[in-house]
Short mmCIF file of all heavy atoms in Angstrom, two decimals:
data_model
loop_
_atom_site.label_atom_id
_atom_site.label_comp_id
_atom_site.label_asym_id
_atom_site.label_seq_id
_atom_site.Cartn_x
_atom_site.Cartn_y
_atom_site.Cartn_z
N ALA R 1 14.28 0.13 -0.70
CA ALA R 1 14.33 0.96 -1.89
C ALA R 1 15.77 1.43 -2.18
O ALA R 1 16.19 1.44 -3.37
CB ALA R 1 13.41 2.17 -1.72
N ASP R 2 16.50 1.81 -1.17
CA ASP R 2 17.84 2.32 -1.37
C ASP R 2 18.80 1.27 -1.92
O ASP R 2 19.86 1.60 -2.44
CB ASP R 2 18.44 2.86 -0.07
CG ASP R 2 17.77 4.13 0.38
OD1 ASP R 2 17.06 4.76 -0.42
OD2 ASP R 2 17.95 4.52 1.56
N ARG R 3 18.43 -0.01 -1.83
CA ARG R 3 19.26 -1.09 -2.30
C ARG R 3 18.71 -1.69 -3.61
O ARG R 3 19.05 -2.83 -4.00
CB ARG R 3 19.41 -2.15 -1.22
CG ARG R 3 20.38 -1.62 -0.13
CD ARG R 3 20.15 -2.29 1.20
NE ARG R 3 21.06 -1.74 2.22
CZ ARG R 3 20.90 -0.57 2.85
NH1 ARG R 3 19.84 0.20 2.58
NH2 ARG R 3 21.73 -0.17 3.72
N GLY R 4 17.83 -0.97 -4.25
CA GLY R 4 17.30 -1.41 -5.54
C GLY R 4 16.13 -2.41 -5.44
O GLY R 4 15.79 -3.00 -6.46
N GLY R 5 15.59 -2.59 -4.23
CA GLY R 5 14.52 -3.54 -4.07
C GLY R 5 13.19 -2.97 -4.58
O GLY R 5 13.07 -1.80 -4.91
N PHE R 6 12.20 -3.85 -4.65
CA PHE R 6 10.88 -3.49 -5.12
C PHE R 6 9.89 -3.79 -4.05
O PHE R 6 9.95 -4.84 -3.40
CB PHE R 6 10.54 -4.30 -6.37
CG PHE R 6 9.27 -3.85 -7.04
CD1 PHE R 6 9.24 -2.74 -7.86
CD2 PHE R 6 8.10 -4.55 -6.82
CE1 PHE R 6 8.07 -2.33 -8.45
CE2 PHE R 6 6.91 -4.15 -7.41
CZ PHE R 6 6.92 -3.03 -8.25
N LEU R 7 8.91 -2.87 -3.80
CA LEU R 7 7.94 -2.99 -2.72
C LEU R 7 6.57 -3.20 -3.30
O LEU R 7 6.10 -2.33 -4.03
CB LEU R 7 7.99 -1.74 -1.84
CG LEU R 7 9.36 -1.49 -1.19
CD1 LEU R 7 9.52 0.00 -0.85
CD2 LEU R 7 9.47 -2.35 0.04
N GLY R 8 5.96 -4.32 -3.02
CA GLY R 8 4.58 -4.58 -3.47
C GLY R 8 3.64 -4.27 -2.34
O GLY R 8 3.71 -4.84 -1.27
N VAL R 9 2.76 -3.29 -2.54
CA VAL R 9 1.80 -2.88 -1.51
C VAL R 9 0.61 -3.87 -1.54
O VAL R 9 -0.01 -4.03 -2.56
CB VAL R 9 1.33 -1.44 -1.72
CG1 VAL R 9 0.33 -1.02 -0.68
CG2 VAL R 9 2.50 -0.49 -1.74
N THR R 10 0.32 -4.44 -0.43
CA THR R 10 -0.74 -5.43 -0.35
C THR R 10 -2.12 -4.82 -0.41
O THR R 10 -2.33 -3.65 -0.07
CB THR R 10 -0.61 -6.26 0.96
OG1 THR R 10 -1.57 -7.29 0.93
CG2 THR R 10 -0.84 -5.42 2.19
N MET R 11 -3.07 -5.63 -0.85
CA MET R 11 -4.46 -5.19 -0.81
C MET R 11 -5.22 -6.08 0.17
O MET R 11 -6.47 -6.04 0.21
CB MET R 11 -5.09 -5.33 -2.19
CG MET R 11 -4.55 -4.40 -3.19
SD MET R 11 -5.42 -4.61 -4.75
CE MET R 11 -4.75 -3.25 -5.67
N PHE R 12 -4.53 -6.84 0.97
CA PHE R 12 -5.16 -7.76 1.96
C PHE R 12 -5.71 -6.91 3.08
O PHE R 12 -4.95 -6.25 3.82
CB PHE R 12 -4.10 -8.73 2.43
CG PHE R 12 -4.62 -9.82 3.34
CD1 PHE R 12 -5.68 -10.64 2.94
CD2 PHE R 12 -4.09 -10.02 4.56
CE1 PHE R 12 -6.18 -11.63 3.76
CE2 PHE R 12 -4.56 -11.02 5.44
CZ PHE R 12 -5.59 -11.81 4.98
N PRO R 13 -7.04 -6.86 3.26
CA PRO R 13 -7.65 -5.96 4.21
C PRO R 13 -7.06 -5.96 5.63
O PRO R 13 -6.91 -4.87 6.17
CB PRO R 13 -9.13 -6.40 4.21
CG PRO R 13 -9.34 -6.89 2.83
CD PRO R 13 -8.04 -7.60 2.50
N PRO R 14 -6.73 -7.09 6.23
CA PRO R 14 -6.16 -7.04 7.61
C PRO R 14 -4.87 -6.23 7.71
O PRO R 14 -4.47 -5.85 8.81
CB PRO R 14 -5.97 -8.51 7.95
CG PRO R 14 -6.97 -9.24 7.17
CD PRO R 14 -7.01 -8.48 5.82
N PHE R 15 -4.18 -5.97 6.57
CA PHE R 15 -2.97 -5.22 6.60
C PHE R 15 -3.18 -3.75 6.27
O PHE R 15 -2.23 -2.95 6.26
CB PHE R 15 -1.93 -5.78 5.61
CG PHE R 15 -1.41 -7.14 6.04
CD1 PHE R 15 -0.57 -7.84 5.19
CD2 PHE R 15 -1.69 -7.72 7.25
CE1 PHE R 15 -0.05 -9.08 5.55
CE2 PHE R 15 -1.18 -8.94 7.62
CZ PHE R 15 -0.39 -9.63 6.78
N LEU R 16 -4.42 -3.37 6.04
CA LEU R 16 -4.73 -1.97 5.73
C LEU R 16 -5.30 -1.26 6.96
O LEU R 16 -5.68 -1.89 7.93
CB LEU R 16 -5.71 -1.90 4.55
CG LEU R 16 -5.23 -2.52 3.26
CD1 LEU R 16 -6.34 -2.61 2.22
CD2 LEU R 16 -4.04 -1.72 2.72
N ARG R 17 -5.36 0.04 6.87
CA ARG R 17 -5.69 0.88 8.03
C ARG R 17 -7.04 0.49 8.67
O ARG R 17 -7.18 0.45 9.89
CB ARG R 17 -5.71 2.36 7.63
CG ARG R 17 -5.94 3.28 8.82
CD ARG R 17 -5.85 4.74 8.41
NE ARG R 17 -6.69 5.08 7.29
CZ ARG R 17 -7.98 5.39 7.38
NH1 ARG R 17 -8.60 5.36 8.52
NH2 ARG R 17 -8.67 5.71 6.28
N ARG R 18 -8.04 0.21 7.84
CA ARG R 18 -9.36 -0.06 8.42
C ARG R 18 -9.66 -1.56 8.56
O ARG R 18 -10.78 -1.98 8.68
CB ARG R 18 -10.44 0.59 7.60
CG ARG R 18 -10.33 2.11 7.70
CD ARG R 18 -11.45 2.89 7.06
NE ARG R 18 -11.85 2.39 5.75
CZ ARG R 18 -13.12 2.25 5.39
NH1 ARG R 18 -14.10 2.63 6.20
NH2 ARG R 18 -13.44 1.79 4.20
N ASP R 19 -8.60 -2.34 8.50
CA ASP R 19 -8.66 -3.80 8.73
C ASP R 19 -9.72 -4.41 7.85
O ASP R 19 -9.76 -4.15 6.64
CB ASP R 19 -8.92 -4.05 10.22
CG ASP R 19 -8.53 -5.44 10.67
OD1 ASP R 19 -8.46 -6.35 9.84
OD2 ASP R 19 -8.34 -5.64 11.87
N ILE R 20 -10.60 -5.23 8.37
CA ILE R 20 -11.59 -5.95 7.54
C ILE R 20 -12.59 -5.06 6.89
O ILE R 20 -13.33 -5.49 6.00
CB ILE R 20 -12.27 -7.06 8.36
CG1 ILE R 20 -13.07 -6.49 9.51
CG2 ILE R 20 -11.29 -8.10 8.83
CD1 ILE R 20 -14.03 -7.49 10.12
N HIS R 21 -12.66 -3.79 7.25
CA HIS R 21 -13.58 -2.84 6.66
C HIS R 21 -12.93 -2.04 5.52
O HIS R 21 -13.54 -1.12 4.98
CB HIS R 21 -14.11 -1.87 7.71
CG HIS R 21 -14.72 -2.57 8.86
ND1 HIS R 21 -15.94 -3.26 8.75
CD2 HIS R 21 -14.29 -2.76 10.13
CE1 HIS R 21 -16.21 -3.83 9.93
NE2 HIS R 21 -15.25 -3.53 10.78
N ALA R 22 -11.72 -2.43 5.13
CA ALA R 22 -10.99 -1.68 4.06
C ALA R 22 -11.69 -1.85 2.73
O ALA R 22 -12.36 -2.84 2.45
CB ALA R 22 -9.58 -2.23 3.99
N ASN R 23 -11.52 -0.81 1.91
CA ASN R 23 -12.02 -0.83 0.53
C ASN R 23 -10.91 -0.33 -0.39
O ASN R 23 -9.78 -0.14 0.02
CB ASN R 23 -13.31 -0.01 0.42
CG ASN R 23 -13.10 1.45 0.79
OD1 ASN R 23 -11.98 2.01 0.58
ND2 ASN R 23 -14.09 2.10 1.31
N VAL R 24 -11.24 -0.11 -1.64
CA VAL R 24 -10.22 0.29 -2.61
C VAL R 24 -9.58 1.60 -2.24
O VAL R 24 -8.40 1.83 -2.55
CB VAL R 24 -10.82 0.30 -4.05
CG1 VAL R 24 -11.77 1.48 -4.24
CG2 VAL R 24 -9.69 0.29 -5.08
N MET R 25 -10.25 2.50 -1.59
CA MET R 25 -9.69 3.77 -1.20
C MET R 25 -8.59 3.55 -0.14
O MET R 25 -7.60 4.27 -0.10
CB MET R 25 -10.75 4.72 -0.65
CG MET R 25 -11.81 5.08 -1.69
SD MET R 25 -11.14 5.75 -3.24
CE MET R 25 -10.60 7.32 -2.68
N ASP R 26 -8.73 2.55 0.71
CA ASP R 26 -7.71 2.20 1.69
C ASP R 26 -6.48 1.65 1.00
O ASP R 26 -5.33 1.92 1.37
CB ASP R 26 -8.25 1.19 2.72
CG ASP R 26 -9.39 1.81 3.52
OD1 ASP R 26 -9.15 2.74 4.26
OD2 ASP R 26 -10.52 1.31 3.38
N CYS R 27 -6.68 0.87 -0.09
CA CYS R 27 -5.55 0.39 -0.88
C CYS R 27 -4.84 1.57 -1.50
O CYS R 27 -3.58 1.63 -1.49
CB CYS R 27 -6.04 -0.54 -1.97
SG CYS R 27 -6.81 -2.06 -1.39
N GLU R 28 -5.60 2.50 -2.04
CA GLU R 28 -4.99 3.67 -2.66
C GLU R 28 -4.20 4.48 -1.63
O GLU R 28 -3.07 4.92 -1.92
CB GLU R 28 -6.07 4.55 -3.28
CG GLU R 28 -5.53 5.81 -3.92
CD GLU R 28 -6.61 6.66 -4.53
OE1 GLU R 28 -7.70 6.16 -4.85
OE2 GLU R 28 -6.39 7.88 -4.65
N GLU R 29 -4.72 4.63 -0.44
CA GLU R 29 -4.02 5.33 0.63
C GLU R 29 -2.71 4.63 0.97
O GLU R 29 -1.68 5.30 1.14
CB GLU R 29 -4.90 5.39 1.89
CG GLU R 29 -4.21 6.03 3.07
CD GLU R 29 -5.07 5.95 4.33
OE1 GLU R 29 -5.39 4.82 4.75
OE2 GLU R 29 -5.36 7.03 4.87
N ALA R 30 -2.73 3.31 1.04
CA ALA R 30 -1.49 2.56 1.34
C ALA R 30 -0.47 2.74 0.24
O ALA R 30 0.76 2.89 0.53
CB ALA R 30 -1.82 1.09 1.54
N ILE R 31 -0.92 2.74 -1.01
CA ILE R 31 0.03 2.93 -2.12
C ILE R 31 0.62 4.34 -2.07
O ILE R 31 1.80 4.52 -2.15
CB ILE R 31 -0.70 2.69 -3.46
CG1 ILE R 31 -1.07 1.20 -3.59
CG2 ILE R 31 0.19 3.14 -4.64
CD1 ILE R 31 -2.08 0.92 -4.66
N ASP R 32 -0.25 5.34 -1.91
CA ASP R 32 0.21 6.73 -1.83
C ASP R 32 1.20 6.91 -0.65
O ASP R 32 2.23 7.57 -0.78
CB ASP R 32 -0.93 7.69 -1.63
CG ASP R 32 -1.75 7.92 -2.93
OD1 ASP R 32 -1.24 7.55 -4.02
OD2 ASP R 32 -2.89 8.39 -2.81
N ASP R 33 0.88 6.31 0.48
CA ASP R 33 1.69 6.42 1.66
C ASP R 33 3.08 5.85 1.40
O ASP R 33 4.12 6.41 1.78
CB ASP R 33 1.06 5.69 2.82
CG ASP R 33 1.60 6.12 4.19
OD1 ASP R 33 1.82 7.29 4.38
OD2 ASP R 33 1.81 5.19 4.99
N THR R 34 3.12 4.70 0.74
CA THR R 34 4.42 4.02 0.45
C THR R 34 5.18 4.86 -0.58
O THR R 34 6.41 5.04 -0.44
CB THR R 34 4.19 2.59 -0.03
OG1 THR R 34 3.42 1.91 0.92
CG2 THR R 34 5.49 1.86 -0.25
N ILE R 35 4.52 5.38 -1.62
CA ILE R 35 5.20 6.23 -2.60
C ILE R 35 5.77 7.47 -1.94
O ILE R 35 6.88 7.88 -2.23
CB ILE R 35 4.24 6.56 -3.74
CG1 ILE R 35 3.99 5.31 -4.60
CG2 ILE R 35 4.80 7.71 -4.62
CD1 ILE R 35 2.91 5.50 -5.67
N ASN R 36 5.00 8.03 -1.02
CA ASN R 36 5.51 9.23 -0.30
C ASN R 36 6.74 8.91 0.53
O ASN R 36 7.60 9.78 0.73
CB ASN R 36 4.42 9.82 0.58
CG ASN R 36 3.32 10.49 -0.22
OD1 ASN R 36 3.54 10.94 -1.35
ND2 ASN R 36 2.15 10.58 0.39
N ALA R 37 6.87 7.69 0.98
CA ALA R 37 8.02 7.29 1.82
C ALA R 37 9.26 7.03 0.97
O ALA R 37 10.38 7.33 1.41
CB ALA R 37 7.67 6.05 2.67
N VAL R 38 9.09 6.41 -0.23
CA VAL R 38 10.27 5.97 -0.96
C VAL R 38 10.33 6.40 -2.42
O VAL R 38 11.31 6.10 -3.11
CB VAL R 38 10.39 4.44 -0.91
CG1 VAL R 38 10.56 3.97 0.50
CG2 VAL R 38 9.22 3.75 -1.57
N GLY R 39 9.31 7.04 -2.94
CA GLY R 39 9.22 7.40 -4.35
C GLY R 39 8.54 6.32 -5.16
O GLY R 39 8.35 5.19 -4.71
N GLU R 40 8.15 6.67 -6.36
CA GLU R 40 7.30 5.79 -7.15
C GLU R 40 8.05 4.70 -7.93
O GLU R 40 7.43 3.76 -8.39
CB GLU R 40 6.45 6.62 -8.14
CG GLU R 40 7.27 7.32 -9.17
CD GLU R 40 6.48 8.25 -10.06
OE1 GLU R 40 5.51 8.86 -9.56
OE2 GLU R 40 6.81 8.37 -11.23
N ASP R 41 9.34 4.85 -8.12
CA ASP R 41 10.05 3.93 -8.99
C ASP R 41 10.16 2.49 -8.48
O ASP R 41 10.41 1.57 -9.25
CB ASP R 41 11.47 4.47 -9.24
CG ASP R 41 11.44 5.73 -10.12
OD1 ASP R 41 10.42 5.94 -10.82
OD2 ASP R 41 12.41 6.47 -10.05
N CYS R 42 9.99 2.27 -7.22
CA CYS R 42 10.15 0.93 -6.66
C CYS R 42 8.89 0.38 -5.97
O CYS R 42 8.98 -0.53 -5.15
CB CYS R 42 11.35 0.87 -5.71
SG CYS R 42 11.18 1.99 -4.35
N VAL R 43 7.76 0.99 -6.28
CA VAL R 43 6.50 0.58 -5.62
C VAL R 43 5.52 -0.01 -6.60
O VAL R 43 5.30 0.57 -7.69
CB VAL R 43 5.85 1.78 -4.89
CG1 VAL R 43 4.54 1.40 -4.23
CG2 VAL R 43 6.81 2.36 -3.87
N GLY R 44 4.97 -1.13 -6.29
CA GLY R 44 3.95 -1.76 -7.09
C GLY R 44 2.80 -2.24 -6.24
O GLY R 44 2.74 -1.99 -5.06
N ILE R 45 1.88 -2.95 -6.86
CA ILE R 45 0.70 -3.42 -6.20
C ILE R 45 0.79 -4.93 -6.06
O ILE R 45 0.94 -5.65 -7.06
CB ILE R 45 -0.55 -3.02 -6.97
CG1 ILE R 45 -0.61 -1.48 -7.10
CG2 ILE R 45 -1.82 -3.57 -6.29
CD1 ILE R 45 -1.63 -0.98 -8.10
N GLY R 46 0.70 -5.42 -4.84
CA GLY R 46 0.71 -6.85 -4.59
C GLY R 46 -0.71 -7.37 -4.43
O GLY R 46 -1.30 -7.21 -3.37
N THR R 47 -1.30 -7.93 -5.51
CA THR R 47 -2.70 -8.29 -5.45
C THR R 47 -2.92 -9.80 -5.11
O THR R 47 -3.67 -10.48 -5.82
CB THR R 47 -3.39 -7.99 -6.82
OG1 THR R 47 -2.69 -8.75 -7.83
CG2 THR R 47 -3.33 -6.52 -7.13
#
């Protein structure tokens, strides 16, 4: 983020907190977590 990059947050269940049991709320958590780490300007959704 500090170098102007863009971060796409994945929706692939094995990369989310609840692994194969992940749902849309887990995707939302991952997006929120990433935004909290770097701000919203460089975060998107990698579908």
Side-chain angles (χ1 to χ4, degrees):
D2 290 346
R3 286 156 181 79
F6 188 81
L7 300 155
V9 179
T10 186
M11 293 183 173
F12 186 56
F15 292 173
L16 298 172
R17 183 176 53 83
R18 293 187 319 136
D19 200 339
I20 62 169
H21 304 290
N23 60 31
V24 72
M25 299 305 289
D26 297 295
C27 295
E28 181 181 335
E29 176 186 60
I31 293 165
D32 287 342
D33 197 44
T34 305
I35 289 171
N36 289 335
V38 299
E40 65 186 35
D41 292 338
C42 60
V43 178
I45 301 168
T47 60

